[in-house]
Amino acid sequence: GTGRMAASELTTGIIFLSQTVVGALGNSSLLLHYLILYFTGVRHTDLILQHLIVANLLTLLCRGIPQTVAAFSVKYFLSDIGCKLLFTLHRVGRGVSICSTCLLSIFQAIKISSGNSRWAELKVKASKYIDSFVYLSWILCLLVNAVFPMYVSGKRSSTNFTSLKDFGYCSGVRHDTTRDSLFAALLSFPDAVCVGLMLWSSSSMVLILHRHKQRMQRVHKTCSSRSSSESRATKNILLLVSTFVSFYSFSCLFQISLAVVYHPNRFLVSTAAVVAGCFPVFSPFLLMSRDTNASRLCLTWIRNGKTPDIMRNM
């Protein structure tokens, strides 16, 4: 009865709160780490990672905080404008997170590719325009999600729409099927392109690493520290991309379920939100794990009076 429902609401609230706090702390500490590195000469991968972390924070906070508050039995505390703004910012953050992971994957694939003239030229161009691509991803995500406010409403009392879906703290607005399908296709298209590019660049990197390993086995022990650091960086990015694709695929299944089910229950809504928050929560810890010194950066910095160049082994 009511007691079981209250217990389930409390459990959901604790899950959202834990996810938001852990994810916010992980992303914030990693952002601080990259901001310190920024003043010592930023590399292109560092710039992409900074934007990925900011996008992750935006995704987590815009969904995690209201979901936590709603789970602790405070319903519809946001105004109509508040709902529209939070949902849109969450979508923009999610979009930039996908674009940044995709850019990171493509940039690393170009970076480690064989040194023939065509690839060498592409490496120079990629390095030159990477900043523009990063900022362009924010603009594109804002433009794509500009129509999103039409599909979110603050109060359940807005009965002038065909149907409203209860998201706990806001409502989803249902229009006619054709319009909703077109809208879903518009939102999914950039994501599908990015995931396709990620899979292509990741498979290219796996192939390059495999060839490199075979070559090194033939040459025996002449492997330079440069090539081993590049291969370590590539493996880290492959791990990040595969984690992203796994969580993203699960998230998509839940999002499709939410779109298809006419009146989704609280469990489906909550599970979809938890799954959507998994990548922003885990990615900073994946990025930290590649460098055992990352957590001790600030201490070393204070002791030496300058920032150590420890991230060059990425």
Side-chain angles (χ1 to χ4, degrees), residues 4 9 79 104 133 141-142 149 208 239 275 291:
R4 191 183 292 172
E9 293 271 299
S79 66
L104 198 63
F133 280 122
C141 290
L142 275 166
I208 291 163
L239 177 67
V275 173
D291 185 354

Side-chain angles (χ1 to χ4, degrees), residues 89-289:
L89 285 175
H90 173 265
R91 287 286 319 179
V92 169
R94 184 178 169 279
V96 174
S97 185
I98 296 171
C99 290
S100 302
T101 312
C102 180
L103 275 174
L104 198 63
S105 179
I106 293 168
F107 187 74
Q108 191 65 20
I110 294 168
K111 202 175 165 188
I112 66 162
S113 57
S114 56
N116 65 46
S117 57
R118 188 164 58 90
W119 281 106
E121 200 178 305
L122 192 58
K123 278 184 203 181
V124 174
K125 282 184 178 174
S127 302
K128 203 181 286 181
Y129 296 114
I130 202 78
D131 302 37
S132 309
F133 280 122
V134 169
Y135 292 110
L136 186 66
S137 69
W138 282 98
I139 295 163
L140 283 174
C141 290
L142 275 166
L143 289 173
V144 167
N145 291 289
V147 288
F148 205 81
M150 289 163 49
Y151 291 82
V152 184
S153 170
K155 304 276 192 296
R156 290 204 75 176
S157 55
S158 316
T159 50
N160 55 331
F161 296 105
T162 317
S163 172
L164 289 175
K165 291 186 178 189
D166 181 12
F167 291 138
Y169 57 98
C170 291
S171 298
V173 180
R174 188 187 275 279
H175 299 93
D176 63 276
T177 316
T178 316
R179 192 170 162 186
D180 282 355
S181 304
L182 282 169
F183 173 67
L186 170 74
L187 288 183
S188 305
F189 180 71
D191 296 1
V193 170
C194 282
V195 171
L197 286 169
M198 270 186 242
L199 293 172
W200 166 78
S201 54
S202 298
S203 44
S204 303
M205 284 192 272
V206 169
L207 196 66
I208 291 163
L209 281 181
H210 177 66
R211 284 177 186 162
H212 177 76
K213 194 179 177 183
Q214 285 182 323
R215 203 159 49 240
M216 285 303 115
Q217 280 169 348
R218 282 200 296 271
V219 181
H220 296 300
K221 292 175 184 176
T222 54
C223 178
S224 67
S225 63
R226 164 81 184 154
S227 62
S228 67
S229 71
E230 281 299 349
S231 108
R232 194 159 57 245
T234 307
K235 283 170 187 169
N236 289 322
I237 288 168
L238 281 170
L239 177 67
L240 190 76
V241 170
S242 55
T243 308
F244 177 85
V245 172
S246 307
F247 282 134
Y248 178 76
S249 304
F250 277 116
S251 182
C252 272
L253 288 172
F254 280 105
Q255 292 304 323
I256 290 163
S257 305
L258 277 180
V260 171
V261 177
Y262 208 80
H263 290 294
N265 62 25
R266 189 57 49 82
F267 177 77
L268 183 61
V269 171
S270 300
T271 311
V274 169
V275 173
C278 282
F279 179 74
V281 171
F282 288 113
S283 64
F285 299 101
L286 283 175
L287 292 166
M288 279 182 212
S289 68

Side-chain angles (χ1 to χ4, degrees), residues 78-88 152 154 169-170:
L78 285 167
S79 66
D80 194 52
I81 292 167
C83 274
K84 290 180 191 302
L85 185 68
L86 273 187
F87 264 78
T88 307
V152 184
Y169 57 98
C170 291

Side-chain angles (χ1 to χ4, degrees), residues 42-61:
V42 70
R43 289 171 311 143
H44 301 292
T45 44
D46 291 348
L47 180 79
I48 302 169
L49 286 167
Q50 282 171 17
H51 285 267
L52 173 64
I53 295 159
V54 171
N56 282 346
L57 277 168
L58 197 63
T59 309
L60 266 175
L61 299 176

Side-chain angles (χ1 to χ4, degrees), residues 26-55:
N27 282 289
S28 301
S29 56
L30 200 62
L31 186 62
L32 175 71
H33 175 68
Y34 282 112
L35 285 173
I36 291 167
L37 281 177
Y38 181 80
F39 296 106
T40 63
V42 70
R43 289 171 311 143
H44 301 292
T45 44
D46 291 348
L47 180 79
I48 302 169
L49 286 167
Q50 282 171 17
H51 285 267
L52 173 64
I53 295 159
V54 171

